[in-house]
Each structure stands twice: as C-alpha cells, then as structure tokens.
Amino acid sequence: MTQTILVTGTEGYIGARLVAMLFDRGHDVVGLDTGYYRDGWLYSDNRHMTRGARTLYKDLRHVTVEDLAGCDAVVHLAELSNDPLGQNNPAVTHQINHGGSVRLAEAARTAGIRRFVYTSSCSVYGAGTGEFLDETAKPNPQTAYAECKVLVERDVGRMAGADFAPVFLRNATAYGPSPRMRFDIVLNDLCALARTTGRIAMVSDGSPWRPVVHIDDICEAICCALAAPESAVRGKIFNVGQSSENYRVRELAEIVAREFPGCEVSTGPASGDTRSYRVNFDRIHRELPGFKCSYTARDGARQLREIFERIEMQADIYQFRAFTRLKQLKYLRATGQIDDAFYWT
C-alpha cells in the first residue's frame, strides 16, 4: 500500500539509502533533517538516487503536530549518532536523542499516525559476557548514546495501544556504501584505512565482539516494519542483523585485508573499552514478515573497495570532517555555526 512516510535524518548515512528504497517501492517521502552533515557527499549514483525527498530543515526538538500533517507513518533515524559523539556532550545528547525522540512520537500519535519505526541499536547491550544476547536480555548501556536508546524504547513503548503501533529496530553496527558516507563506524573505517594507507594498525588487541549489518539490510528491515500488519510489530523490539555476522574487531580487519590486496594488519594492547557483545538475530527472521539479510561483511568490504576505486579516493577524502560525526559537530561549534546546545545560530 502506498504511503506518505516522514523520515527523519534524510540527509544522514542511512537516510540517503532509505529514501531511494522507499521511492522504489511506490511510497512518497517527506524528510526532516537539521542539516548538520550536508557538507558530506562521497559519490553520486543516479541508478538509486533519481529522486530526493521534500525535506523540512528543522531541529528534532522543535517538531510540531502540524509538521506531520498528511503523513501515514514515521521512520525516525535522526539523532546524535554513535558513542563518541554522545559522550562529547551527554546533556545535549539526552535532550535530542531521548527528549526529542519521545516528543516526535507524541506528536505522531496526536497527529493520528499509527506506525512509528524507531531505529535503536545493539549498543544497548553494552558489555556482554560472551553469550549471544537476544531481545529478552537486560540492556547494559555503557554510553549516553546507548542510554538514550533504552529510554526511548521504554517511553515510546508505553505509548503502544490500539491507535499507535511503535516498533523498535535494534540495528547491529552498520556498514556499506552511502552517498552520505560515515567513516566513524568500524567496517567502513577499516576499509578506508586499507584504501588510503595500505595498513590497519589497531590501537587495541581487536578482541571486542561486534555484530555488523549492511546498510541496505537495515533499510529492508525498516520497509518490512512499515508493511507488516500492526499485530506483528506493535510494541516489539527486533535485533536487526544475522547471527552469523558477529565478529571480533580483528576478524573484521582480516576480512578487509583480504579484499584490499597488500593491506597489512597489526594489533595493540588490550583496551579499556568495555563495549563487547554478541547478538542473536533469530526473532526478526522468524517474526517480521518478508525480512531477510542479503549481505555479509565480506560483501560490504568488496562494495566499498569498488566505490573507492571508482572515485579514486585519497586520504583527504577519508579524513574530511563531514564523514565523521564528531569532527563535523566540533567544526560547526568551533566556527560558531551552532551553539553549545547544538542549535543553529
């Protein structure tokens, strides 16, 4: 069924891919974005980017019911994304990621929108003990970013009812090419290092576990969550990925090195970083109609190598601030474009 879908974060890493997929499936898309990362555009691909969403440039904290008029569903991607950025200013992270997200859900319910897809994160599991964790495991967040994900799941989950069907997608760590590229997530970063330096020199021993998932598989999960009957998703949490795609970081480095000939890998001492978790993804494959993963980490590394070769990527592109969330926000703050609370000046 064709729908008009509000997507927050249309100018983000996942949003740039999701919008194209939604258009391909016959939906109309209205975007909402703050515009923090509009400086970053890695490549153009008109096969998948033939249309852009009509986008409202507005802070998540200021969204109103009127902004959602005419929409049938909401997909919420736009938050301060990843652990280092969240830790940079925990107070503002909570204002945006927790307060802003709950406010958006409240506005959606008031506007009569029934489906609300929230992109959470497997980072809520934080520090595991080595066992595979499913959706029933108690969250153990280690950062402000992960804490906010848990709080939004709790508060928006309480809104679920006959007239409102939120669904929570706990994504594994994303990877893969996007025009709005990010090099501050593990597989993408390792591939960029391999391309620009020919060497992956890890500062830790690479022992922490990370589940990873292709960006297009995340988009597929979102599309399935929008299309599923309400009874299949209302108030439910789904880990997004596949159980075979849990790796130690050093294993990811070795996968990347095999796709980038001549790349050398070295490790360092054990790190004090407590984030390490393996995740079970059986539920989403069993209960979300139509969903399956199509890619592996090896596929993603190959795709990235092909993109980097096509655009002749050099170190200056990899290091450009707009492809790393924390660098870009620090730049906007240092140049007076945003204030201490991350509002545009």
Side-chain angles (χ1 to χ4, degrees), residues 5 7 16 19 44-45 73 89 102 136 138 162 176 185 254 291 331:
I5 301 166
V7 177
V19 168
S44 294
D45 181 0
N89 194 327
V102 173
T136 65
K138 183 179 179 181
I185 41 185
E254 290 162 359
F291 178 75
Y331 164 77

Side-chain angles (χ1 to χ4, degrees), residues 4-150:
T4 298
I5 301 166
L6 178 86
V7 177
T8 70
T10 43
E11 292 193 353
Y13 173 65
I14 296 173
R17 297 287 293 187
L18 177 63
V19 168
M21 189 177 289
L22 291 172
F23 278 139
D24 285 346
R25 299 187 184 201
H27 300 298
D28 192 16
V29 181
V30 177
L32 185 141
D33 202 288
T34 56
Y36 290 152
Y37 308 111
R38 64 179 62 161
D39 293 347
W41 188 268
L42 185 68
Y43 66 92
S44 294
D45 181 0
N46 285 336
R47 289 174 302 169
H48 301 105
M49 306 293 292
T50 55
R51 294 175 61 191
R54 296 175 288 114
T55 298
L56 172 66
Y57 291 99
K58 192 169 189 177
D59 193 285
L60 179 64
R61 292 165 287 185
H62 290 163
V63 173
T64 66
V65 174
E66 290 72 26
D67 293 329
L68 308 181
C71 295
D72 302 303
V74 171
V75 175
H76 182 32
L77 300 166
E79 293 181 336
L80 296 180
S81 55
N82 81 8
D83 294 317
L85 180 55
Q87 293 301 95
N88 180 60
N89 194 327
V92 174
T93 298
H94 276 268
Q95 290 172 15
I96 296 173
N97 291 15
H98 178 211
S101 296
V102 173
R103 177 189 177 96
L104 176 66
E106 291 171 340
R109 186 172 64 170
T110 300
I113 295 171
R114 302 181 64 90
R115 189 70 51 98
F116 187 91
V117 181
Y118 177 68
T119 51
S120 187
S121 169
C122 285
S123 66
V124 301
Y125 298 117
T129 57
E131 75 278 18
F132 281 85
L133 303 172
D134 65 16
E135 293 85 350
T136 65
K138 183 179 179 181
N140 187 17
Q142 302 292 299
T143 62
Y145 170 77
E147 289 169 2
C148 289
K149 293 294 190 187
V150 174

Side-chain angles (χ1 to χ4, degrees), residues 180-202:
R180 296 286 186 188
M181 196 60 184
R182 287 183 60 185
F183 289 129
D184 53 2
I185 41 185
V186 60
L187 190 72
N188 293 358
D189 185 38
L190 295 173
C191 288
L193 282 169
R195 163 69 187 185
T196 60
T197 70
R199 185 180 180 204
I200 298 172
M202 289 184 286

